[in-house]
Amino acid sequence: MRRVSIVIPCFDEEEALGALFERLDAVLASHPGIAFEVVCVNDGSRDATLERLLAMQPQHPELVVVDLSRNFGKEAALSAGLAAATGDAVIPMDADLQDPPELIGEMVRLWGEGAEVVVARRTDRSSDSMTKRWSAHAFYKIHNAMSDVAIPEDVGDFRLMDRAAVDVLNALPENRRFMKGLFAWVGFRTATVDYRRERRSAGGTRFNGWRLWNLALEGITSFSLLPLRVWSYVGAFVALCSLAYAAWLLVRTLLHGIDVPGYASLMVAVLFLGGLQMIGIGIIGEYLGRAYLESKRRPAFVVRKVYRAGP
Ligand code: UDP
Ligand code: MG
């Protein structure tokens, strides 16, 4: 019998769990030929998420609860779930039912037909806000223009991955994990299913603008060196321009003599170049900081306890 693990990161999701398991149970029951395992990762929730999950375990022998020692963020929680999952295929899914569990059947079918990865593509994101859609679109455009690994737009973490792909992800040594990028990076034969993104079942998004901005920075710095390298070219361009300007100044002085030097142009040049240099240093700082954190080799997450049902 094929074994499929569903990995669900949960951060303050006590209100969402009831509806989630109602729909998930129906889907799992309709595929008797597959042995499912549901791995819920409690990412340091401050509400009763853990208690709810543990209370459900007696009726859900397939439920495994991984309790992290604090909130590590969705990327780390997902990594913890992937590490704990034992299935022949793994499906990461959000707890808020924005990823419809009914798609699991179709994913498993395509996997049976030979796909090693089955991604779910949102054809309709009207449930997300305008700003969210616009900023996401801008992020994918910028990211894909800059990095070697293109992340397909409108594809989230909801997907099926064969054990082969999961093993590669688990073996990656990096602790700062931008999962969307890593998912795209591992490659493998990929199939696609389309779906309509639904509204969050309960509560609001766990990602405010600042968190999303940092996630986007993480994504770009993890997969592109362009922001670092571009400064050599900016520098070369500015140097060339100033050389031309210097030549022009020289000729003008020779022809017309010295006129009163312009305070304004001097100030503009100083401030502009100063600003440019600071941006360059800031970007080097972004990378240096990440290299520093990575060099410490801290684990991406800390597990307090794993709860498995059964004897
Ligand atoms: N999540 C998590 N840790 C966090 C933030 C979010 O495990 O620090 C989980 C959350 O419980 C949910 C999933 O990640 O299952 C997606 O979060 P959310 O729905 O808020 O994101 P959105 O759909 O708005 O992108
Ligand atoms: Mg959501």
Side-chain angles (χ1 to χ4, degrees):
M1 196 142 95
R2 286 177 307 167
R3 305 184 61 248
V4 173
S5 303
I6 297 167
V7 170
I8 309 177
C10 304
F11 176 50
D12 289 352
E13 299 285 9
E14 61 172 3
E15 289 155 12
L17 290 177
L20 169 70
F21 274 85
E22 219 165 272
R23 270 184 54 193
L24 199 55
D25 283 348
V27 171
L28 303 195
S30 64
H31 295 89
I34 297 165
F36 283 104
E37 170 191 60
V38 179
V39 181
C40 285
V41 182
N42 177 37
D43 186 18
S45 299
R46 298 153 297 185
D47 63 4
T49 299
L50 179 66
E51 290 72 18
R52 288 273 166 91
L53 287 170
L54 294 181
M56 270 190 287
Q57 239 176 1
Q59 293 90 50
H60 293 83
E62 77 285 0
L63 177 59
V64 176
V65 181
V66 177
D67 188 27
L68 299 189
S69 61
R70 63 171 170 85
N71 179 252
F72 280 89
K74 183 184 174 186
E75 312 296 303
L78 209 52
S79 304
L82 291 184
T86 60
D88 304 316
V90 179
I91 304 179
M93 198 174 93
D94 285 359
D96 56 7
L97 284 174
Q98 286 197 288
D99 307 329
E102 290 73 22
L103 232 57
I104 290 172
E106 178 68 5
M107 287 175 161
V108 170
R109 194 183 64 75
L110 288 167
W111 173 53
E113 286 178 2
E116 292 154 321
V117 174
V118 183
V119 298
R121 184 171 53 198
R122 314 153 179 166
T123 51
D124 177 357
R125 280 187 77 160
S126 52
S127 59
D128 287 331
S129 70
M130 272 293 280
T131 22
K132 173 102 187 235
R133 274 180 317 192
W134 182 85
S135 58
H137 179 70
F139 168 72
Y140 286 113
K141 276 269 164 308
I142 295 171
H143 182 279
N144 292 347
M146 288 181 9
S147 60
D148 302 334
V149 212
I151 304 175
E153 192 168 351
D154 290 326
V155 169
D157 297 335
F158 189 34
R159 63 184 59 223
L160 178 146
M161 287 177 290
D162 187 80
R163 173 50 52 190
V166 177
D167 282 344
V168 175
L169 288 173
N170 286 341
L172 288 179
E174 58 216 81
N175 67 11
R176 303 180 64 88
R177 294 166 157 264
F178 181 66
M179 294 313 273
K180 273 193 224 326
L182 295 178
F183 287 157
W185 175 85
V186 289
F188 286 99
R189 258 197 314 276
T190 304
T192 307
V193 291
D194 288 334
Y195 76 104
R196 211 178 153 275
R197 186 123 169 113
E198 293 166 46
R199 262 178 207 294
R200 211 176 204 289
S201 62
T205 175
R206 305 290 179 261
F207 288 89
N208 56 25
W210 180 241
R211 257 184 119 163
L212 281 174
W213 165 251
N214 282 314
L215 191 64
L217 270 189
E218 191 68 57
I220 287 170
T221 51
S222 307
F223 286 92
S224 174
L225 291 183
L226 193 71
L228 268 183
R229 298 180 50 212
V230 75
W231 296 100
S232 330
Y233 298 99
V234 173
F237 178 72
V238 171
L240 271 180
C241 288
S242 42
L243 214 62
Y245 184 57
W248 182 69
L249 277 185
L250 193 73
V251 171
R252 204 186 59 166
T253 314
L254 286 177
L255 293 181
H256 302 289
I258 298 170
D259 61 346
V260 181
Y263 171 77
S265 58
L266 208 65
M267 216 44 202
V268 166
V270 166
L271 290 180
F272 177 70
L273 287 181
L276 219 56
Q277 281 167 343
M278 273 196 253
I279 295 173
I281 292 173
I283 287 179
I284 293 173
E286 289 282 340
Y287 281 88
L288 187 65
R290 283 177 166 79
Y292 173 60
L293 289 177
E294 203 67 63
S295 73
K296 292 178 191 277
R297 309 237 135 254
R298 285 184 193 141
F301 53 83
V302 177
V303 175
R304 178 181 291 122
K305 191 170 173 183
V306 179
Y307 301 84
R308 289 179 196 276

